Amino acid sequence: MINLAGASIFSKWTEEHKKAIRESRVNTTQNIVEGIPSRPEKPFTLFSTSAVGYYGFHGDEELIEESLPGNDFLARIAKEWEGEALKANNKGARVVITRFGIVMGEKGGALSQMIPLFKKYIGGQSGVENNGFPGFISKTLQRPLPFY
C-alpha cells in the first residue's frame, strides 16, 4: 500500500486549511491502518510519506534521519502522521516512511502554485535565510516506488 495523501501546504493557513492539512495526512493514514487486516496472510508493506517539515527550521544545519523533530505546526503534523503509520507495525505490517521535500511537477505539485506568483512579481525567496528549499521533481518520486 502506498500512501501519498496530503492537502497542499501552499495556501493561506487559515484554521480551516490547517485542519485540512492535518486531516488529509493524519486521518487518512489512520483510516488506511485501520483497514489493514491483523496479521495478514501475505507480507504487507505500508509505504507512507511524511515531510522534511518534521525537523522544523534549522538554517543550513545538516540533518539526518535521527535528528530530533521540530515543534512548529508542520513538524507536529509530520510527527503525528508518522505515528499513525507506525501503528501498522502492530498488525504485522512492514512500515516504510520517507520524509519528502516539496514536490514539483510539470502538471501540478507546488510549482504550478508558485509560477503564477512569480509571473505577477510577488514570488520570493524560498526558505528562510540560509534554509534551502528541499524540493524535487515528481518523476524522481515515482522511480523508487516499484521497489517497495
Side-chain angles (χ1 to χ4, degrees):
M1 167 72 64
I2 299 172
N3 174 18
L4 302 175
S8 175
I9 62 169
F10 287 96
S11 185
K12 185 174 180 181
W13 283 16
T14 62
E15 289 305 312
E16 182 179 339
H17 191 69
K18 286 167 73 172
K19 181 179 178 184
I21 289 171
R22 182 189 174 279
E23 288 180 354
S24 66
R25 289 163 174 76
V26 176
N27 294 5
T28 299
T29 303
Q30 189 176 51
N31 290 335
I32 289 170
V33 171
E34 285 175 5
I36 297 172
S38 293
R39 308 290 170 211
E41 293 177 21
K42 296 180 182 179
F44 188 91
T45 299
L46 172 60
F47 179 94
S48 191
T49 55
S50 182
V52 294
Y54 173 92
Y55 302 106
F57 293 108
H58 286 272
D60 62 356
E61 177 185 346
E62 184 175 328
L63 300 170
I64 61 172
E65 185 176 356
E66 292 79 16
S67 296
L68 296 175
N71 195 30
D72 60 24
F73 172 72
L74 289 179
R76 290 190 307 271
I77 295 297
K79 189 174 176 183
E80 188 177 5
W81 189 11
E82 291 182 18
E84 289 301 325
L86 289 170
K87 290 178 182 178
N89 283 325
N90 299 334
K91 293 187 166 192
R94 174 180 170 235
V95 179
V96 177
I97 296 176
T98 55
R99 295 179 182 142
F100 292 137
I102 305 299
V103 179
M104 309 283 194
E106 297 170 5
K107 298 179 182 175
L111 192 58
S112 67
Q113 295 176 314
M114 295 165 62
I115 287 175
L117 299 175
F118 284 99
K119 286 184 175 179
K120 294 177 183 175
Y121 301 101
I122 56 175
Q125 175 183 344
S126 297
V128 178
E129 296 177 7
N130 293 334
N131 190 2
F133 186 75
F136 58 92
I137 305 300
S138 61
K139 289 180 183 176
T140 306
L141 170 61
Q142 295 167 3
R143 287 187 193 127
L145 295 181
F147 296 107
Y148 290 97

